[in-house]
Amino acid sequence: MLVLGQDEKAKYPFLADAGEYLKDKGFSLVQFGSDPVLKLSVEKALHRIKVASAGEVYKSDIDKDGQASKDYVLEREVFSFLLAIVLIKLTGMSTLIKRFALAEARRAEIYLEKDLGNASNKSKIDLATRIIYDLFNIEIIKENDFFVIPVSDYLKHSVTFHEREWKLINRHVENGKVFLTPDKTVRLIRKELGNYISSKIINAPKPSMIPGLENAVNELILISKKLTPTYTITTGEYPPCIKHAIDVLEKGENLPHSGRFMLATFLLSKGQTVPQIAPLFKNAPDYNPRVTLYQLNHLAGTSGSATKYSCPSCEKLKTQDLCFITKECNDIINPMQFGKKRT
Amino acid sequence: MNEIDIKFLEDSFKKYYFNHFDLITSPPRTSEREFGYQKFNSGMFRHISLKENKELHLLFMQNIPSDVYCSNAYYAFPNFPMSEKDWKEADLIFDIDAKDLNLPCRKNHTMSICNECNEVSKDTSQCVKCNSTKLEKKSLPCKNCIGASKIEVNKLSNVLINDLGIDKENIHVYFSGNEGFHVYVYHSQFQEIGSKERSELVDYIMFRGAIPETFGMKKFKPNRSLFPDFNQKGWNGRFSKYVFGSKSKRSKIISELLDSGYPSFQKTLDDVSKNIGVKIDPNVTMDVHRIFRLPGSINSKSGLSKVLCTDLTKFDPYVDACFLSDDPVEVLANCPIEFKLKNKKFGPYTNEKISVPTYAAVYMICKKLATIA
Ligand code: SF4
Ligand SMILES: [Zn+2]
Ligand SMILES: [Zn+2]
């Protein structure tokens, strides 16, 4: 992983390891609930989430180069980001994650663009290209005033854009490469940056309640409820067919192709990400990490045919001997409906 | 098609497959491909997986197919239903067909076959005999058609090599067996991209969706220094050559473009697209689950084979893709247009009983212009 300076961590706080950062600074999470100075960071974190949930980008106290007159300002930038994640985790509300991640991605974009466009400072350009390579596996090479990337990488990211300007015909293309300005380069990865940040939040462990943060958490729950759609999950349980498939895999037994297809499409549709699902398959007798990732990405529609596959119907699963119906199944026609009712 | 004609075509095809199996190369990574075939007067059999050349040979010998197809995609389970095949990647593929080129020669060699009374006439919108409008069009593509298709193939290669960075050795051009060419691209950076991305690539190659700004025309405060120049790579350079013509005219034409303004520049771009965009069939390239005629197999629309063109300039489909025997056959021919195969002229015939070599008989029967006498 990248080694970052304090100012770089302030610009790209999602690259910092939360636990290590706190340890380095000599603090524990609990102190943030009580220490009056540290509480300033909590307030800032709360503000950061509120701004994001309103669909805006939070304005940092650091300047465009990531500099600040005082060290503690930089520190508070990082703290507030890490605490924002803690607060979101404590609310248990997943609706906040997406908005927060997107807003933070937009914020980071500003710095990435500045770093890429910094003609005089090669190390800044290197850092930005390294981040893009490490996170998204896109190799960007600087050529004069432009950044060049392989056409196939460009297409994978640009196809979701609707503006005509993003069509390949409206770019300079030469020898299998697309030429981009710094702002376009960064714009290209906005969505992925957002996804990266949200997967970091989803994967962070949920802490137990920290005394002193209750009010902030409650306030966020209220905000998030206003954003929640009308479907709620009444039981967090998986349907019997899915539980059975997971069981089989955990025992290291063989799950037929159709069973893997069902499990993967089910979990993907539930919003799980490919890196979250992949480990489930590692006990399988024929496990191959590369193939598994490949197949999952394919099902998720993130690669290849770009068709997103959905979970098969109960009827189909019955014919494949994958259905283990119980009365909780309640006449549903697709496992996706298990345990859901309209509110 | 009647039983006797089918029997004759099957016998001729079988003989070809028996004698020329060397022309049929099972594609690289055979076991990851989906195969399909058709028999005369029957539907398509798909989702077939084959392990090796021997199995492919067996498929030909046992079924005597009218047409055989193979996917450009690679799958983990080629014989599963489409949604469970597990798509891995696909070679990039392009279809250039003379019938999509809007050539003026076309009407001279297109015939209309009436579905009601079987009357064959030169291109018309209504049967000359029974006035029916249910007509089937059949074309016997001419030299000009083939020449124009070759020009498109060369334009395509140029974009693939210079713009998209593809090695020349990885571009294989095949005569389709009827009216055009299939261009395959192997081992490129595009193997794993999906349908949407391929469709963007198609727009690039066809010069579709360009905005004036890309070629130097700004909406506000246009500036002549932004227009493309001859030595530029990619579409900028090709645009210059086409729109400015020569270096001496560049400055004058830029002034004209600036005078006519932004909205009219969009028309210039449409004109560029029509004239120097590469005329490929967009649907073919976008579809990553399609199966294509297998190289070496016969196209039942003509009786000609789909073959690799190693020297496109010299390639003559009516000689180099015609492999059926010379044995004479008696047919009843109704073919109002003259055609040439293996350097021999045939027709026109008006309801005549004639004796012609097998390859010519097959050609006409495939085009519904003759039956076994
Ligand atoms: S009824 Fe549907 S959800 Fe229930 S076990 Fe069967 S397949 Fe799964
Ligand atoms: Zn008629
Ligand atoms: Zn012609």
Side-chain angles (χ1 to χ4, degrees):
Chain A
M1 204 45 208
L2 295 160
V3 182
L4 302 173
Q6 177 70 31
D7 57 334
E8 289 157 351
K9 281 181 192 159
K11 287 193 290 189
Y12 310 118
F14 49 88
L15 295 175
D17 180 291
E20 232 161 66
Y21 188 80
L22 289 177
K23 217 168 85 199
D24 265 11
K25 300 286 165 193
F27 296 117
S28 70
L29 261 188
V30 191
Q31 287 172 273
F32 285 86
S34 49
D35 185 296
V37 177
L38 291 179
K39 270 203 120 168
L40 291 175
S41 295
V42 177
E43 266 159 42
K44 205 168 171 55
L46 191 60
H47 172 66
R48 231 168 149 145
I49 303 169
K50 281 197 215 160
V51 170
S53 64
E56 278 160 41
V57 178
Y58 146 83
K59 292 199 183 47
S60 307
D61 296 329
I62 53 176
D63 68 16
K64 270 205 163 187
D65 287 317
Q67 300 302 319
S69 50
K70 298 277 185 308
D71 246 10
Y72 71 80
V73 176
L74 291 176
E75 222 173 75
R76 206 168 281 164
E77 275 298 301
V78 185
F79 280 155
S80 61
F81 176 84
L82 301 177
L83 277 162
I85 295 185
V86 170
L87 289 176
I88 291 174
K89 284 303 238 194
L90 285 172
T91 64
M93 306 296 273
S94 56
T95 38
L96 288 175
I97 298 177
K98 220 175 150 188
R99 283 168 187 253
F100 178 72
L102 182 67
E104 287 296 326
R106 299 283 290 272
R107 173 184 169 277
E109 237 177 84
I110 298 167
Y111 299 112
L112 274 175
E113 187 187 327
K114 183 87 203 223
D115 280 353
L116 281 180
N118 198 321
S120 59
N121 193 334
K122 195 173 169 301
S123 72
K124 292 214 162 152
I125 298 172
D126 284 349
L127 173 74
T129 51
R130 270 294 300 281
I131 291 175
I132 293 170
Y133 182 76
D134 279 8
L135 265 43
F136 314 115
N137 208 7
I138 307 176
E139 199 162 350
I140 298 180
I141 295 162
K142 190 167 156 65
E143 233 184 90
N144 301 320
D145 290 341
F146 291 97
F147 291 88
V148 301
I149 74 169
V151 173
S152 51
D153 282 335
Y154 176 82
L155 291 176
K156 278 176 211 157
H157 295 86
S158 67
V159 280
T160 52
F161 298 171
H162 300 296
E163 302 92 338
R164 282 227 280 170
E165 157 193 27
W166 285 93
K167 289 186 73 63
L168 189 62
I169 184 75
N170 294 313
R171 295 278 172 238
H172 180 71
V173 179
E174 197 179 316
N175 221 347
K177 302 259 169 31
V178 181
F179 287 64
L180 296 170
T181 52
D183 60 320
K184 302 292 178 209
T185 309
V186 171
R187 173 70 183 84
L188 195 62
I189 53 155
R190 174 182 292 169
K191 211 177 104 211
E192 281 75 11
L193 195 55
N195 288 346
Y196 177 82
I197 296 173
S198 53
S199 78
K200 260 211 121 151
I201 304 174
I202 291 167
N203 291 327
K206 183 177 174 173
S208 42
M209 182 50 87
I210 297 159
L213 297 190
E214 296 89 348
N215 285 344
V217 169
N218 288 334
E219 195 180 341
L220 286 177
I221 290 176
L222 276 179
I223 293 176
S224 130
K225 274 195 176 142
K226 286 189 201 133
L227 305 169
T228 312
T230 52
Y231 266 120
T232 51
I233 292 173
T234 50
T235 67
E237 291 246 322
Y238 287 151
C241 48
I242 299 296
K243 276 200 212 152
H244 174 262
I246 295 174
D247 266 8
V248 169
L249 283 174
E250 279 177 350
K251 281 189 223 140
E253 287 165 13
N254 193 35
L255 185 66
H257 177 71
S258 50
R260 296 181 196 197
F261 182 82
M262 165 195 74
L263 182 58
T265 49
F266 177 88
L267 294 174
L268 286 167
S269 305
K270 284 276 179 205
Q272 298 221 28
T273 62
V274 170
Q276 286 173 309
I277 299 172
L280 267 178
F281 295 91
K282 70 173 182 285
N283 287 337
D286 55 351
Y287 178 70
N288 172 334
R290 206 190 61 85
V291 173
T292 302
L293 272 185
Y294 181 79
Q295 294 176 344
L296 287 174
N297 275 321
H298 175 58
L299 294 179
T302 42
S303 75
S305 69
T307 341
K308 199 172 168 187
Y309 292 97
S310 41
C311 188
S313 65
C314 290
E315 200 178 326
K316 177 92 197 262
L317 296 173
K318 278 179 186 126
T319 67
Q320 294 174 324
D321 285 331
L322 293 166
C323 176
F324 294 84
I325 190 163
T326 63
K327 66 175 185 308
E328 272 87 55
C329 288
N330 228 340
D331 280 340
I332 54 176
I333 58 170
N334 189 294
M336 290 305 296
Q337 297 161 317
F338 186 86
K340 266 188 194 176
K341 71 166 201 239
R342 271 177 209 282
T343 51
Chain B
M1 205 177 279
N2 71 51
E3 294 294 322
I4 301 166
D5 289 341
I6 290 179
K7 175 82 175 55
F8 168 69
L9 292 180
E10 283 185 342
D11 287 348
S12 313
F13 282 27
K14 189 169 185 178
K15 214 164 164 188
Y16 166 81
Y17 289 127
F18 191 78
N19 295 326
H20 292 283
F21 196 72
D22 53 307
L23 287 176
I24 298 168
T25 33
S26 70
R29 297 164 62 184
T30 305
S31 63
E32 294 167 77
R33 312 269 190 166
E34 180 201 3
F35 288 84
Y37 68 88
Q38 245 169 325
K39 286 170 72 79
F40 289 100
N41 279 359
S42 88
M44 174 83 90
F45 301 87
R46 279 193 75 163
H47 313 299
I48 296 166
S49 80
L50 302 172
K51 281 190 191 57
E52 39 165 32
N53 227 20
K54 250 195 227 147
E55 287 186 7
L56 183 61
H57 202 168
L58 209 61
L59 183 146
F60 276 100
M61 286 306 147
Q62 283 177 338
N63 301 294
I64 322 168
S66 64
D67 300 272
V68 178
Y69 306 91
C70 170
S71 67
N72 57 325
Y74 305 81
Y75 301 101
F77 311 99
N79 53 335
F80 279 32
M82 197 48 86
S83 63
E84 295 170 26
K85 274 187 171 24
D86 251 358
W87 189 94
K88 294 185 197 171
E89 58 184 284
D91 304 324
L92 201 53
I93 208 159
F94 301 95
D95 180 23
I96 289 171
D97 205 301
K99 76 174 180 310
D100 303 328
L101 303 182
N102 290 322
L103 299 169
C105 61
R106 235 176 135 74
K107 60 176 189 309
N108 304 333
H109 51 68
T110 300
M111 285 159 284
S112 308
I113 303 173
C114 177
N115 274 346
E116 309 280 346
C117 73
N118 285 326
E119 173 71 8
V120 180
S121 49
K122 288 207 176 173
D123 199 12
T124 158
S125 55
Q126 213 173 21
C127 174
V128 289
K129 205 166 158 192
C130 76
N131 288 338
S132 164
T133 50
K134 288 186 188 118
L135 302 168
E136 191 177 342
K137 303 276 174 184
K138 288 284 171 189
S139 179
L140 307 184
C142 70
K143 256 207 151 102
N144 182 47
C145 289
I146 301 299
S149 308
K150 284 181 182 177
I151 290 174
E152 296 303 317
V153 172
N154 287 330
K155 277 159 69 182
L156 173 64
S157 302
N158 177 309
V159 176
L160 290 175
I161 295 167
N162 296 311
D163 298 24
L164 301 177
I166 288 161
D167 288 340
K168 212 171 168 216
E169 304 79 71
N170 287 327
I171 302 176
H172 291 190
V173 179
Y174 291 88
F175 171 61
S176 74
N178 194 27
E179 305 201 39
F181 295 91
H182 294 165
V183 179
Y184 289 62
V185 174
Y186 299 106
H187 309 296
S188 75
Q189 55 166 308
F190 306 107
Q191 285 292 120
E192 291 189 8
I193 62 170
S195 181
K196 277 200 211 127
E197 290 87 349
R198 283 171 203 244
S199 142
E200 262 310 302
L201 219 44
V202 164
D203 284 349
Y204 182 83
I205 292 166
M206 299 183 82
F207 197 96
R208 296 202 299 197
I211 53 176
E213 286 79 358
T214 308
F215 294 90
M217 186 62 159
K218 284 208 300 178
K219 204 171 208 158
F220 304 106
K221 293 200 201 147
N223 176 344
R224 57 190 306 129
S225 72
L226 297 172
F227 283 86
D229 213 336
F230 288 85
N231 54 14
Q232 276 181 289
K233 298 274 174 70
W235 281 116
N236 270 307
R238 287 188 285 266
F239 174 97
S240 304
K241 282 180 204 106
Y242 175 73
V243 175
F244 306 141
S246 69
K247 288 198 175 136
S248 57
K249 283 196 253 161
R250 181 172 181 269
S251 175
K252 188 175 150 259
I253 290 177
I254 291 179
S255 304
E256 284 169 17
L257 289 170
L258 287 170
D259 283 347
S260 344
Y262 188 89
S264 128
F265 196 85
Q266 191 64 57
K267 288 200 200 85
T268 307
L269 292 177
D270 295 344
D271 176 59
V272 171
S273 170
K274 230 182 267 150
N275 285 285
I276 61 171
V278 186
K279 295 183 188 68
I280 52 177
D281 180 338
N283 299 320
V284 168
T285 305
M286 279 164 61
D287 189 345
V288 294
H289 296 116
R290 198 179 271 248
I291 47 179
F292 291 87
R293 192 170 297 291
L294 182 72
S297 70
I298 300 177
N299 188 328
S300 77
K301 286 182 201 143
S302 66
L304 301 175
S305 297
K306 172 165 174 178
V307 287
L308 182 67
C309 308
T310 39
D311 183 345
L312 188 65
T313 326
K314 285 204 195 123
F315 180 79
D316 178 353
Y318 303 113
V319 176
D320 302 326
C322 189
F323 292 98
L324 300 182
S325 84
D326 294 352
D327 303 344
V329 206
E330 289 226 322
V331 292
L332 183 64
N334 192 4
C335 175
I337 288 162
E338 181 186 297
F339 63 95
K340 222 171 138 184
L341 283 175
K342 291 200 190 176
N343 289 319
K344 242 182 109 175
K345 275 187 189 158
F346 298 94
Y349 307 114
T350 34
N351 278 318
E352 290 166 58
K353 200 169 171 183
I354 43 155
S355 173
V356 290
T358 298
Y359 59 82
V362 168
Y363 189 68
M364 285 189 286
I365 295 173
C366 286
K367 300 266 181 194
K368 297 194 179 167
L369 303 170
T371 53
I372 293 291

